[in-house]
Amino acid sequence: MRYDICQLVKIVDMNEEIILEVVFDHGEVETPIPTIGATVVTYPLGLKEFSVVYDKRSEDAIKRSKITDLEINLLGESSVVKVFLEPVTLIVGQHDIGEF
């Protein structure tokens, strides 16, 4: 079965005031049934302006995130299962990856 991996990202300023909250889509994966508490390994997230992107500047950098929730939407034509990872907070100025 295919699952859509998502993560809530809060973008804050240096005073930790929320500028924006977005759901970052890591993409779809084909896997056996994921369980809450399992770990997903991805690239760390960063900011390019106000867009959330993977921070691939270091090949050794990985980010481990736990699965916190599974959402099954039965209202559409086909049922979609979203897997939510633990939320992350990115600070404007500290998590900017710039252009590379």
Side-chain angles (χ1 to χ4, degrees):
M1 186 168 203
R2 298 191 65 76
Y3 298 91
D4 191 18
I5 309 293
C6 302
Q7 190 167 25
L8 178 66
V9 180
K10 281 195 274 188
I11 301 172
V12 300
D13 63 13
M14 294 292 199
N15 297 322
E16 297 197 17
E17 292 185 31
I18 297 175
I19 298 172
L20 186 64
E21 284 186 335
V22 297
V23 176
F24 182 77
D25 187 8
H26 288 276
E28 287 187 3
V29 295
E30 180 95 23
T31 182
I33 299 173
T35 59
I36 293 175
T39 301
V40 174
V41 178
T42 64
Y43 286 105
L45 298 178
L47 295 170
K48 188 180 280 188
E49 296 178 5
F50 288 101
S51 298
V52 179
V53 296
Y54 286 122
D55 185 354
K56 297 181 181 179
R57 292 178 291 178
S58 172
E59 292 180 18
D60 299 333
I62 61 169
K63 172 73 173 149
R64 288 181 169 81
S65 301
K66 296 230 181 263
I67 296 173
T68 59
D69 196 14
L70 300 172
E71 178 183 280
I72 302 169
N73 183 354
L74 300 176
L75 300 176
E77 291 179 19
S78 63
S79 60
V80 175
V81 178
K82 287 189 178 186
V83 176
F84 284 92
L85 303 179
E86 57 193 351
V88 67
T89 300
L90 300 177
I91 302 170
V92 172
Q94 286 187 346
H95 292 100
D96 291 327
I97 65 168
E99 298 293 324
F100 59 94

